[in-house]
Amino acid sequence: DTAVSQTPKYLVTQMGNDKSIKCEQNLGHDTMYWYKQDSKKFLKIMFSYNNKELIINETVPNRFSPKSPDKAHLNLHINSLELGDSAVYFCASGMTGGYEKLFFGSGTQLSVL
Amino acid sequence: AQSVTQPDIHITVSEGASLELRCNYSYGATPYLFWYVQSPGQGLQLLLKYFSGDTLVQGIKGFEAEFKRSQSSFNLRKPSVHWSDAAEYFCAVGGNYKLSFGAGTTVTVRA
């Protein structure tokens, strides 16, 4: 009964490949997020979707494309992977403005070789 | 724009000793402030939050934090640390539909 689940947990791939990370929440939240945590542990927001609408796009390269087929899912597709994309990607969900109820997934560790 | 500064990158503390982690924020309006903890290989867990009211807030695992508007600070404290408190701690400010995190403080607990 995981509240926010991400798959896969680990992803190892070659430069230039295209990969996707999936996220699902079963909490009935209307807002979902993608955060990137770099090697120095710094967490930076990438995208936020509210009711399937993109509301935050924090100067992320066009190679990253989020897709929200419904309120419970927010997937992240990455084209032409680069070494610098190696990081841990966290999905999170909450209600609009409801920061106190923000739940995080356990992360996807992406390694680009 | 909102931002958070955690001045201490790494803190080492003896088991049983007290712990204080510093956090300074920048936000134009009344801030929503949070402390999260991340254990190795895990996601983030909310320790405590401040929205309004009493400036001393209690959280889980024996942690507390004090909001000081005059200093733009929200420091986290624990009177007596346990070895299981070794983790990464993040301060965050909420606003503009997102949480903005500090760079984190790594806490090492020595026996």
Side-chain angles (χ1 to χ4, degrees), chain B residues 13-20 61-63 77-85 109:
Chain B
V13 61
S14 298
E15 193 169 13
S18 64
L19 173 69
E20 181 166 12
K61 305 186 180 188
F63 284 92
R77 298 193 291 257
K78 185 168 184 177
S80 175
V81 299
H82 186 262
W83 63 267
S84 60
D85 293 322
V109 180

Side-chain angles (χ1 to χ4, degrees), chain B residues 2-23:
Chain B
Q2 65 215 60
S3 66
V4 173
T5 301
Q6 293 180 247
D8 304 305
I9 296 173
H10 193 176
I11 286 181
T12 298
V13 61
S14 298
E15 193 169 13
S18 64
L19 173 69
E20 181 166 12
L21 304 182
R22 295 183 292 165
C23 171

Side-chain angles (χ1 to χ4, degrees), chain A residues 9 31 33 35 37 40-45 48 55-56 58 90 96-100 102-107, chain B residues 32 34 36 38 40-46 49 51 88 90 94-104 106:
Chain A
K9 188 169 176 63
T31 305
Y33 307 80
Y35 279 84
Q37 186 174 44
K40 295 183 178 178
K41 304 281 189 178
F42 185 63
L43 272 160
K44 183 172 171 54
I45 190 167
S48 176
I55 57 172
I56 293 177
E58 291 279 313
F90 285 98
T96 307
Y99 309 110
E100 75 275 20
L102 203 62
F103 287 81
F104 283 82
S106 58
Chain B
Y32 297 147
F34 305 81
Y36 281 83
Q38 183 182 25
Q42 301 297 313
L44 288 93
Q45 181 183 22
L46 180 66
K49 62 185 183 285
F51 281 13
E88 192 80 20
F90 293 94
N96 300 316
Y97 301 100
K98 63 185 179 183
L99 279 183
S100 297
F101 288 87
T106 303

Side-chain angles (χ1 to χ4, degrees), chain A residues 52-111:
Chain A
K52 302 192 297 175
E53 299 288 328
L54 179 67
I55 57 172
I56 293 177
N57 182 344
E58 291 279 313
T59 60
V60 178
N62 291 337
R63 298 183 296 103
F64 291 79
S65 53
K67 285 192 170 48
S68 182
D70 55 56
K71 287 197 304 184
H73 295 84
L74 180 61
N75 303 324
L76 184 65
H77 187 75
I78 315 170
N79 290 326
S80 303
L81 277 156
E82 300 177 357
L83 293 176
D85 298 331
S86 295
V88 181
Y89 293 84
F90 285 98
C91 177
S93 75
M95 295 302 289
T96 307
Y99 309 110
E100 75 275 20
K101 289 184 170 57
L102 203 62
F103 287 81
F104 283 82
S106 58
T108 296
Q109 179 148 5
L110 172 64
S111 298

